[in-house]
Amino acid sequence: KGTKKGRPKKSARKSTSPRASPASCSKERDYGPLGDRTCPLCKKVFTIVTGLAYHLEHQVCQRTKKRVSADIIGTVPFEILNPGEVFSTKYGVVRVVKDDRAGKDFGKTKIAKNYKDLKKKFQRIRDRNANRKNKVYMFVAKKSRQKRDILLQNYLHYKSQNTNGRM
């Protein structure tokens, strides 16, 4: 007969799926035509059409490859080399022709005159946001405690009624 809920066993069920045998599987039929799975911008071929849809919707191939962190913008990991300097490496002797890793204004950037005011404003905003966050946490904690107290009171009241005053 059957197993659960009156259904026949898996071996007794007839398969109506076109994927009955591995030999009948075709990528084009199962995953869509190759043209429908190819990105028109970067020509990448996807295994399924939904992969291409995600790729196009989120503009994956149009993103920049690497985003520079805000902390390292304007910093140079190595010292600036002057043209004409000569030094040796494990690959041989190197003579500097031009060092264009840093911007033209590197080291010449002027600090804003109101730097101290900007710093104070930033710290004030940061502190205000931290205080707001703490207030929210305290409010949530207070409400949670109140709910727990109400549940405890209801439990004790229910228990005293069901035991006829015996606890």
Side-chain angles (χ1 to χ4, degrees), residues 55-77:
H55 179 80
L56 292 173
E57 182 180 332
H58 294 283
Q59 299 175 343
V60 174
C61 60
Q62 296 169 355
R63 292 186 199 153
T64 56
K65 294 293 179 194
K66 197 172 187 182
R67 293 187 178 148
V68 179
S69 172
D71 336 337
I72 62 172
I73 291 176
T75 63
V76 179

Side-chain angles (χ1 to χ4, degrees), residues 1 5 7 9 12 18-19 22 26 32 77 84 89 96 98 111 119 122 124 137 146 161:
K1 293 262 179 169
K5 300 182 183 176
R7 284 187 275 168
K9 291 182 180 178
R19 298 182 195 183
S26 148
T89 67
V96 178
K98 181 180 178 185
I111 297 175
K119 185 177 178 182
F122 168 76
R124 193 169 50 248
Y137 285 148
Q146 288 174 349
Q161 282 184 347

